[in-house]
Amino acid sequence: MKMFVEPRDVFLHRDAVNFRKSIDGLVAIVEQELGRDAYTGALFVFCNKAKNKLKLLYWDKSGFALWYKRLEKQRFKWPSKVSEQEFVLTEQQLHWLLSGYDVLGHDEQHYQSMI
């Protein structure tokens, strides 16, 4: 997905959000639940309960922008095993999420020498 901005930070809100919420409701979640300043230019990602819709919210110096994406047949690979209320994404992970890939990837592997 080509965006009009390059956000300096990307935060994914872990819990499902009621998608009747628009900009003001999502800004309230950012500030009250995540404890973040919504006016920093960071990008905030929200998902609905069915995990087939995303909303992306960011401040672009003159107002808030809200993007909406709906999948027709698939579901987004939403990180549900994260214990924190928010999850920080890299730009690559955001592109993976929007493309339908798992942003957490595989479990970290630990190797030990046999010597």
Side-chain angles (χ1 to χ4, degrees), residues 29-73:
I29 290 173
V30 168
E31 294 180 342
Q32 294 170 5
E33 292 184 25
L34 301 180
R36 299 261 176 205
D37 182 0
Y39 294 86
T40 61
L43 180 74
F44 299 93
V45 185
F46 303 90
C47 191
N48 67 335
K49 189 175 182 178
K51 296 182 176 59
N52 66 340
K53 298 174 186 170
L54 287 183
K55 285 189 177 182
L56 289 77
L57 174 76
Y58 64 91
W59 174 257
D60 75 351
K61 299 181 185 175
S62 63
F64 282 103
L66 182 64
W67 288 46
Y68 180 88
K69 181 169 183 174
R70 180 184 73 193
L71 295 178
E72 294 299 322
K73 295 183 180 181

Side-chain angles (χ1 to χ4, degrees), residues 57-109:
L57 174 76
Y58 64 91
W59 174 257
D60 75 351
K61 299 181 185 175
S62 63
F64 282 103
L66 182 64
W67 288 46
Y68 180 88
K69 181 169 183 174
R70 180 184 73 193
L71 295 178
E72 294 299 322
K73 295 183 180 181
Q74 302 295 322
R75 292 177 186 235
F76 289 103
K77 308 286 190 284
W78 203 250
S80 58
K81 296 181 181 176
V82 177
S83 60
E84 293 83 26
Q85 187 70 9
E86 72 177 9
F87 183 75
V88 179
L89 296 177
T90 65
E91 184 177 346
Q92 181 65 52
Q93 287 174 314
L94 175 62
H95 290 287
W96 287 341
L97 176 68
L98 295 173
S99 297
Y101 298 113
D102 188 350
V103 297
L104 295 182
H106 303 290
D107 292 333
E108 184 177 348
Q109 300 293 313

